[in-house]
């Protein structure tokens, strides 16, 4: 998505060789027009996959995910991050290791919002090692729901996330693919829209 690549080049801050900061339009302040265009792009790519619900992880996944859900005319469900839990009976829970915080957190979704008949589209802001996307997939699968695809705003193509997800048979689509952050500079990898595996 050229508009997103342009925004990353203009406003992205390379923190180090592994981390890109985009808090001016995605992770803190949000650019609604850009989010709207992302929603259109995800909805177009995943059209016809029978998606009944979009699922993401709070908080940075919510903006692109809600726009995608709006375009697809389905609800958005966001998993919550909580450190400790007392009552777990009515929740699906998964432990997810955070790439940026370098700690594990417990992520929960209420059982009442996910059903075996759901076909979910997972949306997240970044793809690094794939832990967040896989945690969300495990939550969907706990409910007996199927995962129709995984949509990522910014994939770091030099990290192993995509390959892990593809090897597990998930359909992955990213709006921007970062090839490298070396030397404080963002370079992009080719769009793989036509080449992803499908299920
Ligand atoms: P993964 O679970 O795939 O290892 O990492 C994805 C998650 O870590 C995303 O939900 C995102 O919040 C965070 N993340 C990973 N890499 C980056 C990055 O370069 N920049 C920012 N802002 N977040 C990242």
């Amino acid at each position: 998505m050229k508009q997103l690549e342009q925004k990353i080049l203009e406003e992205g801050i390379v923190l180090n060789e592994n981390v890109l900061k985009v808090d001016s339009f995605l992770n803190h302040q949000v650019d609604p027009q850009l989010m709207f265009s992302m929603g259109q792009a995800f909805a177009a790519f995943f059209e016809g996959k029978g998606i009944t619900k979009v699922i993401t992880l709070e908080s940075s996944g919510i903006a692109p995910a809600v726009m995608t859900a709006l375009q697809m005319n389905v609800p958005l469900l966001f998993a919550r991050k909580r450190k400790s839990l007392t009552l777990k009976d009515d929740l699906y829970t998964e432990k997810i290791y955070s790439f940026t915080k370098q700690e594990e957190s417990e992520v929960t979704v209420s059982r009442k919002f996910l059903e075996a008949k759901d076909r979910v589209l997972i949306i997240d802001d970044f793809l690094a090692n794939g832990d967040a996307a896989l945690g969300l997939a495990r939550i969907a699968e706990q409910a007996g729901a199927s995962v129709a695809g995984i949509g990522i705003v910014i994939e770091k193509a030099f990290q192993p996330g995509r390959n892990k997800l593809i090897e597990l048979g998930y359909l992955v689509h990213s709006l921007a693919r970062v090839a490298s952050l070396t030397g404080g500079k963002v370079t992009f990898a080719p769009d793989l829209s036509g080449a992803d595996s499908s299920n």
Side-chain angles (χ1 to χ4, degrees), residues 110-127:
S110 170
R111 286 177 184 263
K112 73 177 169 214
F113 297 126
L114 261 188
E115 295 176 84
K117 65 175 193 297
D118 278 316
R119 264 181 80 69
V120 306
L121 171 61
I122 293 168
I123 296 285
D124 203 13
D125 59 341
F126 273 90
L127 178 61

Side-chain angles (χ1 to χ4, degrees), residues 15 18-23 27 57-58 60-61 81 96-101 124-134 152 154 156 159 161 164 181:
L15 285 188
N18 293 313
V19 180
L20 176 66
K21 189 169 170 178
V22 288
D23 63 351
N27 291 137
L57 192 54
E58 69 174 357
S60 293
K81 292 174 191 162
I96 295 182
Y97 183 78
S98 164
F99 179 85
T100 40
K101 298 200 177 96
D124 203 13
D125 59 341
F126 273 90
L127 178 61
N129 293 326
D131 293 322
L134 280 175
I152 300 291
I154 303 172
K156 287 178 293 174
Q159 289 169 343
K164 260 194 233 173
L181 296 172

Side-chain angles (χ1 to χ4, degrees), residues 1-54:
M1 189 180 164
K2 284 285 159 226
Q3 195 189 350
L4 174 60
E5 290 188 356
Q6 195 55 39
K7 193 80 166 172
I8 293 170
L9 290 176
E10 284 165 5
E11 297 183 17
I13 297 165
V14 177
L15 285 188
N16 57 49
E17 297 214 332
N18 293 313
V19 180
L20 176 66
K21 189 169 170 178
V22 288
D23 63 351
S24 71
F25 65 90
L26 179 61
N27 291 137
H28 189 16
Q29 176 169 261
V30 169
D31 179 336
Q33 288 297 345
L34 182 60
M35 295 304 131
F36 188 78
S37 303
M38 289 177 187
Q40 287 178 318
F42 282 132
F45 184 85
F46 291 105
E47 193 184 358
K49 303 270 178 228
I51 289 155
T52 61
K53 201 160 278 197
V54 173

